[in-house]
Amino acid sequence: MSKNVASFVQWTSFVVGVTGLTLIKALNGHPVIAKYAISLAFVALAIFLCIQIFRRNPNHFRGKKAVDSAWRALLTRADHSVDVFAGDVSWVQDNKTSISQRIGAGVVVRVLCRWPRTSGQLKQVRTLIGAGVYVNSTRKT
């Protein structure tokens, strides 16, 4: 369980407890209505918790099209610098013009990527360097 989920569960428990005590005191003469309202509050918070746990992470991209689109958006909005670690740089071919335009506008682009092992990967890294991107590669030892 992640730290955010654990924190959310703790706060939810606290809110449900306070809500329950408040409703019992506020509706002292009507215990059935108080219990119904407490149950309703608990169900609403449980649904909200499930939504928070299972919603899609906006920073996790699935597929090459999603990565290309994220890169294009990042590069076209950048006004100063872009620093990123990229496991591979296959996105560079589709975004070469965006990269060149941003570098021409004075944006500094730095990429840390894996050491190229194939000729295709080497071509992609050379494309980055040719566009004016600062590239550092890490070797897997």
Side-chain angles (χ1 to χ4, degrees), residues 58-91:
N59 294 321
H60 187 265
F61 304 105
R62 296 174 193 232
K64 186 168 176 8
K65 281 189 174 187
V67 172
D68 286 343
S69 140
W71 264 108
R72 202 168 291 112
L74 177 69
L75 289 169
T76 55
R77 293 182 187 141
D79 59 358
H80 185 330
S81 69
V82 177
D83 298 313
V84 71
F85 168 77
D88 72 64
V89 289
S90 60
W91 47 267

Side-chain angles (χ1 to χ4, degrees), residues 33-104:
I33 296 173
K35 288 180 182 177
Y36 178 72
I38 291 168
S39 299
L40 188 63
F42 179 74
V43 168
L45 287 171
I47 290 170
F48 183 68
L49 174 64
C50 289
I51 290 170
Q52 292 297 316
I53 290 173
F54 296 111
R55 74 176 182 182
R56 187 181 165 294
N57 183 351
N59 294 321
H60 187 265
F61 304 105
R62 296 174 193 232
K64 186 168 176 8
K65 281 189 174 187
V67 172
D68 286 343
S69 140
W71 264 108
R72 202 168 291 112
L74 177 69
L75 289 169
T76 55
R77 293 182 187 141
D79 59 358
H80 185 330
S81 69
V82 177
D83 298 313
V84 71
F85 168 77
D88 72 64
V89 289
S90 60
W91 47 267
V92 72
Q93 299 301 329
D94 294 334
N95 295 301
K96 185 178 177 181
T97 56
S98 297
I99 293 170
S100 297
Q101 289 173 350
R102 293 301 355 162
I103 289 176

